[in-house]
Amino acid sequence: MVRKRTSMHGQWSSRWAFILAATGSAVGLGNIWKFPYIAGENGGGAFVLVYLICIAIIGIPIMMAEIMIGRRGRQSPVNTMYNLGIESGSTSHWKWLGWLGVVAGFLILSYYSVIAGWALNYVLETASGTFTAMNAEAVSSTFGSFVGNPMALLFWHTLFMMLTMFVVARGVSGGLEKAVRFLMPGLFIILLIMVGYALNTDEFSRGLSFLFEPNFDNLLYKHQPGGEFILNTSGEKIFTLEYVLIAMGHAFFTLSLGMGAIMIYGSYLPNRVSIAKTSFIIAGADTLVALLAGMAIFPIVFANNLDPGKGPGLIFETLPLAFGHMPGGVFFGTLFFVLLVFAAWSSSISLIEPAVAWLVENKGVQRVRASVIMGFACWLVGLLTVFSFNIWEKVYPLNFWKFKNKTFFDVLDYLTANIMLPLGGLAIAVFSVWIMSRGSSADELEMPENASAYNLWYYMTRYATPIAVLVVFGNLVGLIDF
Ligand code: PFF
C-alpha cells in the first residue's frame, strides 16, 4: 500500500476547518447571484429540479472523487494528477486534467471578481441609503448606470482582486481558515431574515411555485430568456437539452467541482476524516443557501412585476427594492451585501489556489510572489468582463455556435461553467473509478471495498455520472438528437 503523503502547503486544523473552507468555496456568487438569475431565465421549477438531480447524481459522487484524489496526491491538481496517473499504472498525461482546472479557475475568477466588485459597490450604496423608498424603476436605472460606467467597475474589480490575493498570499490555515469561520453562519442567518421578509409580500406563494413547480415545456423547448417559445418554420416548438446543460453546468459551478478547487482543498485534509459525510454536508449547505436565495428573491420579483428572466442584474435590481422598503433596511441591506462579498471572497481564493500552489511547487516561487503574479494576470483578463457591460456591450468575440451574440462575459461564463467544468468533472469521475484501483479509492475514502456505501459511490461514478454528462454533451454537439 502507498505511504500516505503530506502537503507542503500545510493542513486544515480539523475536519470542521475543512468543511467550512470547502463550504466557503462552494457557497458564493453562484448561489446568490447566479442561481436565481439562471433559474429565472430557464424556466423556474423544472430547471431547479434538474439542478437538484444533478447535485445528487453527479455533484456528490464527483465531490467525493475530487476530495479523495486530492488527499491521495497531496499536491496541486497538476502534480497530483501527474503522480496518481503514474501510480495507477496509466500515464503522466493526466496532468493535463490538472491544467484544464487551472485554466478554468483562472478564467472564472477573472469575471467572478468583477461581479463581486458589484457587490462591494452595493455595500456602499445601501449603507449610504441610496435605495431608501426607491421604486423598481429607479433601482433598475441605478444598476444600469453603475454597470454602464467602466471606471466604476474597474475600481471595484481591482479592489476585490486585491482582497483575494491578500488572503491567498497568507496561505492555507493563516488566511483561508480564519475568514470563513464566522461568515458562513452569518450569511445563513441574514438569508433567513430575507426569506422572512419575502414571506410577508403578497406574492410569496407565486415565488415558491415559480421555483418549485416544474413546467417541463419551459425547460425542454427553446424560448426567449424567461419568456416566449421560439418556433421552427412549421410553427412547432424546438426541443433542446441546452437548458439541462446549464442546470448541470451550474451544479458543477456551485459545488466548485471539475476544476481542482475541491481537489486542492482535499489535499490539505487530515487523514481519517470521512470524505462521504463531509461531501454530504457541503453539498447540503450549498443547496440550502441557493434555495433560500431563490425563496427570498422571486416573491420580490413578482410582487413588483419584475421580469424573472432579467439576467445577471437580477439580485441587484430586486433585493435593494426590499431593503429600501423594510424597517432597518439600511442595516440589513448593508449586512447582506457585506456577507455576499465575504461569500464571494471565500470562493475566489479557491479559484486561484490551484494555480498559485503549482507556481510554488514547480517554479519555486514564494507564495506571496506567486499570488501577486497570478492575481495580476487574472485582473488583466477581468478587463474583458468589465467592458462587456458597457463599451463592449455589443462586441461578440466568438460569434458562432453556442457563442452567438455573446459578450466576452457571456462567453467566459458559458465556456467555463457549461463546458470546462463538466468536462473536467467527467474526466475526474473516469479517473477515479476506471483508472485508480478499487483498493486505492476505498482506502482513501476509508470504506471497506465490499461496503454498500462504497459500491454505491463506485457504480454511480462509474456509470451514472459519465452517462449523464455524455448525454447532455452529446446533445449539445449535435451527436444525440431525440
Ligand atoms: N462555487 C462558487 C460559487 O458558487 O460561487 C464558484 C466557484 C468556486 C466555482 C470555485 C468553481 C470553483 F472552483
Side-chain angles (χ1 to χ4, degrees), residues 25-31 105 108 112 250 252-257 259-262 286 347-348 350-351 421:
S25 165
V27 174
L29 294 174
N31 305 63
I108 295 175
Y112 205 82
H250 188 64
F252 282 98
F253 186 88
T254 191
L255 294 178
S256 306
L257 296 177
M259 58 139 284
I262 289 293
D286 185 80
S347 301
S348 62
S350 70
L351 282 163
L421 297 187

Side-chain angles (χ1 to χ4, degrees), residues 177-245:
E177 240 189 87
K178 294 212 177 71
V180 282
R181 196 158 292 167
F182 301 102
L183 305 170
M184 285 302 121
L187 183 71
F188 196 71
I189 293 169
I190 190 119
L191 273 175
L192 285 179
I193 296 176
M194 294 306 297
V195 175
Y197 174 82
L199 206 66
N200 288 322
T201 59
D202 300 337
E203 301 287 357
F204 189 69
S205 59
R206 189 156 157 222
L208 277 198
S209 48
F210 180 77
L211 207 53
F212 294 114
E213 266 174 30
N215 170 346
F216 284 95
D217 278 10
N218 286 345
L219 186 74
L220 298 175
Y221 295 99
K222 289 204 168 152
H223 55 70
Q224 309 287 0
E228 280 160 41
F229 291 110
I230 299 170
L231 303 177
N232 65 14
T233 42
S234 17
E236 293 154 349
K237 291 190 269 192
I238 308 168
F239 181 82
T240 178
L241 281 187
E242 187 158 357
Y243 311 126
V244 175
L245 173 72

Side-chain angles (χ1 to χ4, degrees), residues 86-121:
I86 296 175
E87 190 176 296
S88 317
S90 178
T91 114
S92 59
H93 284 301
W94 281 100
K95 71 172 184 225
W96 296 111
L97 174 55
W99 275 112
L100 178 74
V102 168
V103 175
F106 187 86
L107 294 179
I108 295 175
L109 182 59
S110 79
Y111 71 81
Y112 205 82
S113 164
V114 177
I115 311 294
W118 298 0
L120 271 174
N121 172 62

